[in-house]
Amino acid sequence: MTQAAFFVLTALADQPRHGYGILREVEDLSDGAVQLRVGTLYGVLDRLTADRLIVLDREEVHEGRLRRYYRLTDEGMHALDAEAERMAAGASAAKERIAEGRKTPGAAAKPVTGPTAGPGLAGGLA
């Protein structure tokens, strides 16, 4: 699951939201680390809808503009819960290794260079 999809699902976990509300909520939830562009958001929404993780909840006209509200499906809530558990387990393993590394003098790894160097996180920033 991409970082953008994770935060969109998280934004919808407590209530239906429209596009702009999702954008604001994702930015808040990520402490500003994820700032989706409108085109990216609607691409994510289309994929999540196709995967049946979210559905269109309702449409409303607000100040002459149509707002589409999306909500999580039961399957979407399950997928979000599973991803949150996976991420928590990974973070816990990393914390344990960091603690062990601090106990062992000189255990800090040298920087990786060459073809294996990279961001190291799946999904990257949206």
Side-chain angles (χ1 to χ4, degrees), residues 12 14-19 22 42 54-62 65-72:
L12 296 173
D14 62 341
Q15 68 183 24
R17 287 190 165 80
H18 58 81
I22 295 169
Y42 284 100
I54 65 171
V55 292
L56 182 63
D57 184 67
R58 68 186 183 277
E59 295 179 330
E60 294 178 359
V61 176
H62 179 75
R65 297 186 71 180
L66 183 64
R67 283 187 173 172
R68 288 189 175 102
Y69 286 76
Y70 296 88
R71 66 175 169 82
L72 238 52

Side-chain angles (χ1 to χ4, degrees), residues 16-96:
R17 287 190 165 80
H18 58 81
Y20 183 68
I22 295 169
L23 289 175
R24 287 190 325 229
E25 193 68 14
V26 165
E27 188 172 343
D28 287 347
L29 288 166
S30 69
D31 290 328
V34 179
Q35 297 180 3
L36 298 176
R37 295 177 190 250
V38 173
T40 302
L41 171 65
Y42 284 100
V44 171
L45 292 173
D46 287 345
R47 284 191 302 278
L48 294 173
T49 299
D51 291 342
R52 297 183 180 154
L53 301 180
I54 65 171
V55 292
L56 182 63
D57 184 67
R58 68 186 183 277
E59 295 179 330
E60 294 178 359
V61 176
H62 179 75
E63 296 179 2
R65 297 186 71 180
L66 183 64
R67 283 187 173 172
R68 288 189 175 102
Y69 286 76
Y70 296 88
R71 66 175 169 82
L72 238 52
T73 62
D74 289 342
E75 189 176 343
M77 189 67 80
H78 177 73
L80 177 60
D81 186 44
E83 183 67 6
E85 288 293 327
R86 186 193 68 77
M87 292 171 74
S92 179
K95 290 281 195 183
E96 288 175 16

